[in-house]
């Protein structure tokens, strides 16, 4: 058993198995609350706690999967390429919308955190919550945050966006496909973008673009904002 736990394949197998369970549950229910990622994360946590398995044993394989998050995010550029002419036509409003979204995401989480009395480390850790994990980890390190907390914030943000995006668009009568994509991608990164793709090709393409630009804007402006508002 000890040899199994010390093998990186343990983390890889349990991660893939948990995700397949999540996909199966979602395929049967078709309810956003049963997002495969949320199910798989919950399942893995319960298994580690139930059998008293050290996180270090799991992370040997889990880190391999994290490594592939970057390339997986790049693949989201495919739908954007297909809508490149549309992007050129609305370049200015799209870019401005993404930049505003990135700034609001950082400033709002800091203000809410201060109201809740969170300490400085938590505030720095949650600032990059709305960008994709590989970039978010680096931003968190730069700000002096805790990457593990940042990953949790990114995960919660993404899953929340996946669940509520359609309802929010309906509530505020956001019918424009470009506006939908920009708002979802800049607020809930790659996980939210999977829902944007389900909502339409144009929405998915704009959301994919928003992931990249939001990451770059956050990477550049987060240290400056941190010095002003923290």
């Amino acid at each position: 058993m000890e040899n199994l736990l010390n093998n990186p394949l343990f983390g890889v197998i349990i991660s893939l198995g948990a995700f397949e369970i999540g996909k199966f549950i979602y395929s049967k229910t078709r309810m956003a609350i049963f997002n495969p990622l949320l199910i798989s994360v919950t399942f893995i946590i319960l298994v580690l706690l139930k059998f008293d398995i050290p996180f270090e044993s799991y992370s040997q394989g889990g880190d391999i999967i994290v490594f592939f998050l970057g390339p997986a995010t790049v693949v989201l550029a495919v739908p954007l390429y297909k809508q490149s002419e549309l992007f050129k036509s609305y370049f200015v409003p799209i870019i401005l919308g993404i930049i505003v979204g990135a700034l609001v995401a950082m400033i709002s989480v800091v203000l809410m955190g201060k109201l809740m009395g969170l300490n400085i480390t938590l505030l720095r850790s949650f600032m990059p919550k709305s960008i994709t994990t590989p970039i978010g980890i680096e931003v968190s390190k730069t700000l002096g945050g805790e990457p593990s907390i940042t990953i949790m914030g990114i995960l919660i943000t993404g899953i929340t966006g996946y669940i509520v995006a359609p309802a929010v668009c309906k509530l505020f009568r956001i019918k424009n496909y470009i506006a939908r994509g920009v708002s979802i991608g800049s607020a809930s990164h790659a996980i939210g973008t999977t829902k944007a793709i389900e909502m339409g090709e144009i929405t998915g393409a704009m959301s994919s673009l928003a992931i990249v630009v939001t990451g770059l804007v956050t990477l550049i402006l987060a240290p400056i904002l941190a010095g002003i508002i923290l």
Side-chain angles (χ1 to χ4, degrees), residues 22-211:
K23 285 176 60 179
F24 175 78
I25 294 175
Y26 179 72
S27 68
K28 295 298 182 182
T29 62
R30 305 306 299 179
M31 296 176 62
I33 190 65
F34 293 117
N35 178 278
L37 186 58
L38 177 60
I39 297 295
S40 59
V41 168
T42 303
F43 178 81
I44 291 170
I45 292 174
L46 291 177
V47 169
L48 296 183
L49 292 174
K50 175 66 176 179
F51 296 99
D52 196 24
I53 300 173
F55 177 75
E56 290 73 19
S57 296
Y58 165 74
S59 65
Q60 293 181 68
D63 289 343
I64 295 176
I65 296 177
V66 172
F67 172 79
F68 287 102
L69 286 176
T73 302
V74 173
V75 173
L76 293 173
V78 173
L80 174 61
Y81 173 76
K82 294 180 179 179
Q83 300 293 335
S84 58
E85 291 302 318
L86 185 63
F87 169 56
K88 293 175 184 177
S89 300
Y90 296 94
F91 177 80
V92 173
I94 289 173
I95 295 301
L96 286 178
I98 295 172
I99 292 175
V100 170
L103 290 172
V104 170
M106 289 186 285
I107 294 173
S108 63
V109 74
V110 170
L111 294 179
M112 291 178 64
K114 286 185 175 182
L115 288 175
M116 297 172 65
L118 299 184
N119 63 47
I120 191 70
T121 300
L122 289 176
L123 293 177
R124 289 172 175 169
S125 300
F126 284 130
M127 274 193 74
K129 67 171 180 59
S130 291
I131 58 178
T132 189
T133 304
I135 303 177
I137 291 173
E138 296 306 315
V139 173
S140 180
K141 291 178 180 177
T142 301
L143 297 177
E146 177 55 53
S148 60
I149 297 176
T150 301
I151 293 173
M152 180 188 70
I154 291 173
L155 181 63
I156 294 173
T157 301
I159 292 175
T160 301
Y162 180 93
I163 294 172
V164 307
V168 170
C169 288
K170 183 177 181 180
L171 176 64
F172 291 98
R173 299 181 180 179
I174 305 174
K175 298 180 179 180
N176 184 280
Y177 294 123
I178 297 175
R180 285 185 171 191
V182 168
S183 59
I184 294 172
S186 59
S188 51
H189 52 85
I191 302 177
T193 297
T194 60
K195 174 57 70 175
I197 292 174
E198 293 178 13
M199 295 168 69
E201 185 176 355
I202 296 176
T203 301
M206 294 304 106
S207 187
S208 299
L209 171 66
I211 294 174

